């Protein structure tokens, strides 16, 4: 199957008074229709900036975007804002983390969904209203005829996120970017929203980019995982590969830091030491090296040169950016990481 | 909602009562004798005693205040001289010492001029302030923004008596494009009315629009950073819809608040504007009354302007409920 979305060498930087912030650095990935890509990373790793770039939302700001973003063969980055605007919501759309903040407080939910539909469809307001009711019904909001007249604050957190999804999908986009769609929700509601996204994906064959820092959510929903750190991809592969045979020390850290029901309750959780780097002064060499426990095995290369993103084994689709060689990684995973999973 | 409105109206009436009591009380403390003021310069002690009795100034303060209030709600009867009685129907605010006219009548006569200034100027300043604020916000950092905000800052720091007199000198005295400001009835002489009102409108609008321009600009810039504006962009809306429907709508509430209070304040008397342009409105009435120590007129105008400010406050609260659905529910 051909790649519906193809991001090639995407870089996004923001000039600030303190220096240039390289939020995304030379990122490449692909996504097919009907598939889900999970982009995982800490705050500030460049996940959201990437998603905004795919929607072309950096246009008109001070951000400098380079590289190619091909959606269905059209380069979003090369097109002028006036053209990209006509694609937003129709070809690609987005749902945001905090639905309460992302919905306009002064307009009814129905009005906002109908508005999204009206932008791209030459229909009357009553048709758009019907579409809003239909979409709210589709995302599982009871009594949609009445609820379209509610304001966002009258909805519960989960319902607001459903309404956001209804709005984003009202024009049947082929690509949906979900930026931490469940972070602000209760765990039970999280599961409902994830199920809803999966159902809708099956129904409309939508390509989904799921941005999250929750590995559990990714494990359940994604086909591929892209692990980001300091604006760079550090590991990229199928969910199976990346979660079962993780290759990057950062990924090991993330996986071992998840609390487990079967573990010893008195043992403290393993945390990755240190804090995410400032994007203005990214550490030299591998950006993760100041927090990495295995630098001693490699030596000076970690702080001197940026490792390449290379296949784990030749020809594999599992890529990793690490100076450790394959045998060292295998040995560490087997002896130090594996037992803690 | 109805209960809320009722509560607001009741509290408004209480505030009016307090304002009237304070104003009434202050005039008792003043070292001016209303009887002597009302009598004129050549006045015998005997006459003053008579007048004092006729004006019921020989009664205690609470009784006088009670009768004053009674006059407002049901009207009252004065003894004129010793024999003739004078009925003052509700709402009675007493008689002017200077002209012997009922204060209520004076207020009624002067209100149209003040209302003309207030409404005309407010339309103008809203148009000017909002449009320049919107343009500044959208062109932030460019010379258009800097220029318009510079003008706004300058305008906000100027005074009506300065701008008013300069404009009057230019447009009335030098160029003779406009007649001297004044007041004609808009029903009978609409053209004269507009021409005479033009300078007061422009002067007031120039100064006040500066505040609205800055308020609009700051509000819009703040709202532009909101998540829901990003959502609007992500939907593929055009800039016009984003800026006017989503951003401006989010920023309008504080502007409406300030507008309501400004308008309410102006309706009670655009004191300086009326004084500068010599327009017979409520502001001019109150300044003249103060100059002549015409106590009933002063009390009347103060209560009347307090009334407008309170009404404006209640209206602003209602508008808030209309504008913000969260307030509506509570």
């Amino acid at each position: 199957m051909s790649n519906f979305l193809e991001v090639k060498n995407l870089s996004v930087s923001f000039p600030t008074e303190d220096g240039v912030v390289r939020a995304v650095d030379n990122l490449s990935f692909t996504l097919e229709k009907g598939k889900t890509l999970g982009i995982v990373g800490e705050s500030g790793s460049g996940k959201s900036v990437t998603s905004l770039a795919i929607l072309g939302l950096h246009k008109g700001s001070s951000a400098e975007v380079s590289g190619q973003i091909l959606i269905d063969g059209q380069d979003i980055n090369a097109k002028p804002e006036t053209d990209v605007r006509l694609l937003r919501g129709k070809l690609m759309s987005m749902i945001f983390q905090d639905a309460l903040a992302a919905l306009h407080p002064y307009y009814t939910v129905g009005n906002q969904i109908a508005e999204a539909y009206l932008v791209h469809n030459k229909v009357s307001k009553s048709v758009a209203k019907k579409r809003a009711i239909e979409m709210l019904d589709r995302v599982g909001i009871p009594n949609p005829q009445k609820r379209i007249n509610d304001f966002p604050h009258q909805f519960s957190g989960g319902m607001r996120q459903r309404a956001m999804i209804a709005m984003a999908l009202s024009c049947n986009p082929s690509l949906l970017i979900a930026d931490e769609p469940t972070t602000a929700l209760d765990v039970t509601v999280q599961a409902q929203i994830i199920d809803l996204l999966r159902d809708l994906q099956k129904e409309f064959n939508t390509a989904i980019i799921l941005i999250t820092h929750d590995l559990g959510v990714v494990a359940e929903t994604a086909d591929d995982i892209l692990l980001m750190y300091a604006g760079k991809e550090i590991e990229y592969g199928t969910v199976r590969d990346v979660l079962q045979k993780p290759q990057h020390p950062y990924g090991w850290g993330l996986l071992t830091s998840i609390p487990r029901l079967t573990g010893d309750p008195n043992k403290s959780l393993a945390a990755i030491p240190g804090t995410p780097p400032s994007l203005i002064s990214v550490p030299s060499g591998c950006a993760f090296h100041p927090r990495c426990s295995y630098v001693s095995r490699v030596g000076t290369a970690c702080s001197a040169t940026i490792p390449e993103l290379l296949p784990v084994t030749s020809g594999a689709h599992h890529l990793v950016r690490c100076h450790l060689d394959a045998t060292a990684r295998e040995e560490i995973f087997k002896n130090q990481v594996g037992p803690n999973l | 909602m109805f209960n809320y409105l009722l509560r607001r109206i009741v509290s408004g009436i209480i505030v009016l009562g307090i304002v009237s009591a304070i104003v009434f009380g202050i005039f008792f403390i003043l070292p001016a004798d209303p009887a002597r003021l009302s009598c004129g310069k050549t006045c015998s002690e005997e006459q003053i005693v008579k007048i004092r009795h006729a004006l019921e100034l020989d009664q205690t303060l609470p009784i006088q205040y009670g009768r004053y209030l009674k006059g407002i709600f049901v009207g009252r009867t004065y003894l004129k001289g010793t024999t003739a009685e004078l009925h003052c129907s509700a709402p009675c605010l007493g008689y002017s010492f200077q002209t012997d006219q009922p204060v209520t009548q004076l207020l009624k006569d002067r209100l149209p001029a003040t209302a003309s200034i207030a409404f005309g100027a407010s339309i103008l300043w809203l148009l000017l302030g909002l449009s320049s604020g919107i343009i500044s916000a959208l062109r932030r950092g460019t010379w258009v923004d800097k220029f318009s905000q510079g003008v706004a800052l300058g305008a906000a720091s100027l005074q009506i008596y300065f701008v008013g007199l300069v404009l009057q000198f230019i447009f009335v005295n030098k160029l003779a494009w406009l007649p001297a400001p004044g007041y004609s009835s808009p029903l009978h002489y609409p053209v004269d009315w507009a021409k005479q009102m033009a300078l007061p409108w422009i002067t007031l609008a120039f100064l006040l629009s500066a505040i609205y321009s800055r308020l609009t600009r700051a509000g819009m810039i703040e709202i532009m950073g909101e998540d829901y504006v990003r959502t609007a962009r992500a939907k593929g809306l055009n800039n016009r819809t984003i800026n006017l429907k989503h951003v401006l709508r989010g920023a309008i509430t504080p502007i409406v608040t300030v507008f309501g209070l400004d308008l309410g304040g102006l309706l009670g008397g655009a004191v300086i504007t009326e004084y500068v342009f010599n327009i017979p409105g409520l502001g001019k009435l109150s300044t003249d009354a103060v100059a002549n120590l015409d106590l009933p007129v002063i009390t009347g105008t103060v209560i009347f302007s307090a009334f407008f400010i309170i009404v404006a406050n209640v209206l602003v609260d209602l508008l808030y409920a209309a504008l913000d659905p969260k307030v509506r529910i509570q």
Side-chain angles (χ1 to χ4, degrees):
Chain A
M1 210 186 208
S2 69
N3 290 318
F4 176 69
L5 168 70
E6 212 171 336
V7 173
K8 287 183 192 165
N9 309 103
L10 174 69
S11 295
V12 184
S13 55
F14 301 91
T16 68
E17 283 177 13
D18 301 320
V20 177
V21 175
R22 296 191 185 286
V24 176
D25 196 358
N26 214 10
L27 190 69
S28 300
F29 58 86
T30 60
L31 181 61
E32 290 170 18
K33 267 199 174 175
K35 299 276 180 190
T36 302
L37 170 70
I39 301 185
V40 180
E42 293 165 303
S43 328
S45 60
K47 303 169 301 199
S48 295
V49 173
T50 305
S51 56
L52 293 178
I54 295 171
L55 254 75
L57 286 177
H58 293 305
K59 289 177 194 289
S61 77
S62 60
E64 285 160 25
V65 184
S66 67
Q68 280 184 309
I69 300 163
L70 299 165
I71 304 179
D72 210 9
Q74 310 185 68
D75 188 350
I76 298 300
N77 196 29
K79 279 178 181 283
E81 161 68 16
T82 45
D83 294 353
V84 175
R85 178 176 83 71
L86 299 174
L87 300 175
R88 270 183 217 133
K90 192 180 179 190
L91 182 66
M92 68 288 195
S93 72
M94 188 158 175
I95 56 179
F96 299 96
Q97 175 178 348
D98 183 356
L100 182 60
L103 290 168
H104 201 299
Y106 296 160
Y107 292 110
T108 61
V109 171
N111 180 325
Q112 299 187 54
I113 299 174
E115 183 184 41
Y117 190 62
L118 277 170
V119 194
H120 301 293
N121 297 279
K122 284 206 166 76
V123 294
S124 68
K125 280 194 174 162
S126 62
V127 171
K129 191 181 158 189
K130 267 188 204 134
R131 176 72 179 169
I133 295 172
E134 184 188 313
M135 286 311 295
L136 280 184
D137 189 39
R138 181 64 198 83
V139 297
I141 288 183
N143 206 358
Q145 294 89 337
K146 260 185 111 176
R147 300 309 298 254
I148 54 161
N149 297 318
D150 279 359
F151 289 92
H153 69 272
Q154 292 167 280
F155 274 33
S156 69
M159 280 166 67
R160 276 196 286 269
Q161 196 56 275
R162 284 168 191 268
M164 275 292 313
I165 294 172
M167 191 163 86
L169 294 181
S170 62
C171 297
N172 287 329
S174 308
L175 171 66
L176 177 69
I177 302 175
D179 189 355
E180 310 239 11
T182 59
T183 307
L185 303 175
D186 287 343
V187 181
T188 47
V189 182
Q190 280 187 14
Q192 290 168 9
I193 296 291
I194 293 296
D195 283 346
L196 175 66
L197 281 177
R198 269 204 298 221
D199 286 352
L200 293 169
Q201 179 174 39
K202 261 186 220 148
E203 191 177 330
F204 299 107
N205 200 28
T206 322
I208 295 182
I209 296 181
L210 184 67
I211 293 178
T212 181
H213 54 251
D214 187 339
L215 283 174
V217 170
V218 177
E220 266 181 85
T221 44
D223 298 290
D224 290 339
I225 294 188
L226 178 67
L227 207 54
M228 285 186 77
Y229 190 81
K232 284 193 175 63
E233 49 196 331
I234 53 171
E235 192 164 346
Y236 179 33
T238 62
V239 165
R240 221 186 146 76
D241 284 343
V242 176
L243 292 185
Q244 291 187 358
K245 288 179 279 176
Q247 299 292 321
H248 197 282
Y250 179 64
W252 297 338
L254 287 183
L255 283 169
T256 49
S257 66
I258 298 172
R260 273 156 225 280
L261 284 174
T262 52
D264 178 0
N266 296 318
K267 208 174 125 190
S268 58
L269 286 171
I272 303 172
T275 51
S278 147
L279 290 174
I280 291 176
S281 53
V282 180
S284 61
C286 171
F288 187 63
H289 86 262
R291 301 173 73 186
C292 185
S293 318
Y294 309 103
V295 174
S296 56
R297 290 193 174 228
V298 177
T300 53
C302 282
S303 56
T305 53
I306 299 173
E308 301 264 321
L309 187 70
L310 296 170
V312 173
T313 52
S314 63
H317 284 300
H318 188 182
L319 309 174
V320 68
R321 193 189 285 278
C322 183
H323 282 304
L324 286 168
D325 59 40
T327 46
R329 280 202 300 265
E330 201 169 319
E331 190 251 315
I332 293 168
F333 183 72
K334 202 171 151 195
N335 298 324
Q336 296 183 33
V337 182
N340 290 319
L341 290 182
Chain B
M1 193 68 230
F2 180 73
N3 281 337
Y4 172 75
L5 182 62
L6 203 68
R7 266 208 315 278
R8 289 304 319 234
I9 291 173
V10 169
S11 71
I13 291 171
I14 293 171
V15 172
L16 263 184
I18 295 171
V19 168
S20 65
I22 292 172
V23 178
F24 206 83
I26 284 174
F27 292 131
F28 255 83
I29 302 165
L30 280 181
D33 182 358
R36 198 174 291 277
L37 284 168
S38 135
C39 182
K41 271 181 185 143
T42 53
C43 200
S44 67
E45 277 306 310
E46 204 180 329
Q47 275 172 307
I48 289 176
V49 173
K50 268 186 198 162
I51 291 169
R52 189 163 288 146
H53 181 67
L55 291 174
E56 297 171 349
L57 293 169
D58 44 3
Q59 304 289 337
T60 60
L61 178 58
I63 289 176
Q64 287 191 43
Y65 178 61
R67 289 190 177 157
Y68 186 77
L69 284 187
K70 181 183 162 238
I72 293 176
F73 291 106
V74 293
R76 65 191 286 198
T77 307
Y78 288 96
L79 299 168
K80 190 75 182 174
T82 43
T83 49
E85 286 194 349
L86 192 61
H87 184 71
C88 171
S89 53
C92 174
L93 294 165
Y95 286 84
S96 161
F97 292 163
Q98 284 290 311
T99 62
D100 264 352
Q101 281 177 287
V103 173
T104 317
Q105 189 58 45
L106 286 174
L107 293 175
K108 266 188 205 158
D109 292 346
R110 300 299 189 98
L111 181 61
T114 299
S116 296
I117 297 177
F119 285 113
S122 65
I123 291 169
L124 207 58
W125 90 57
L126 261 191
L127 284 176
L128 264 174
L130 280 178
S131 52
S132 73
I134 292 170
I135 292 168
S136 274
L138 297 181
R139 304 260 178 282
R140 180 158 44 135
T142 64
W143 68 268
V144 182
D145 175 28
K146 282 172 190 152
F147 176 76
S148 92
Q149 292 311 302
V151 171
L153 186 65
S157 41
L158 288 175
Q159 295 293 335
I160 294 172
Y161 45 79
F162 175 73
V163 178
L165 290 178
V166 169
L167 288 181
Q168 196 166 344
F169 177 74
I170 297 171
F171 291 103
V172 178
N173 299 17
K174 282 285 153 190
L175 299 172
W177 289 357
L178 291 168
Y183 176 72
S184 315
S185 163
L187 297 174
H188 299 109
Y189 313 100
V191 177
D192 289 338
W193 171 77
K195 278 185 177 169
Q196 288 180 313
M197 281 287 155
L199 280 186
W201 286 342
I202 293 168
T203 309
L204 259 179
F206 181 62
L207 302 182
L208 276 164
S209 64
I211 298 162
Y212 287 80
S213 177
R214 296 187 77 82
L215 211 59
T216 308
R217 178 183 184 272
M220 288 206 35
I221 287 173
E222 190 193 321
I223 300 294
M224 279 174 189
E226 291 286 341
D227 282 2
Y228 59 78
V229 174
R230 186 183 57 187
T231 309
R233 293 187 66 209
K235 281 184 197 177
L237 297 176
N238 62 33
N239 282 333
R240 197 189 149 81
T241 312
I242 293 170
N243 292 326
L244 296 183
K245 186 174 169 191
H246 290 256
V247 178
L248 187 59
R249 179 66 182 80
I252 203 81
T253 314
I255 299 170
V256 169
T257 311
V258 177
F259 178 71
L261 299 181
D262 274 347
L263 189 62
L266 267 187
L267 279 174
V271 177
I272 299 173
T273 313
E274 288 171 20
Y275 198 81
V276 167
F277 292 112
N278 201 21
I279 289 169
L282 290 168
K284 190 78 170 45
L285 181 67
S286 60
T287 45
D288 290 348
V290 169
N292 297 320
L293 274 179
D294 196 344
L295 298 184
V297 178
I298 299 176
T299 320
T301 47
V302 169
I303 292 174
F304 202 47
S305 42
F307 169 76
F308 276 118
I309 288 171
I310 288 162
V311 169
N313 264 297
V314 174
L315 286 180
V316 162
D317 280 338
L318 290 179
L319 264 176
Y320 241 94
L323 287 173
D324 189 341
K326 279 183 230 167
V327 176
R328 214 177 301 162
I329 301 302
Q330 286 154 11

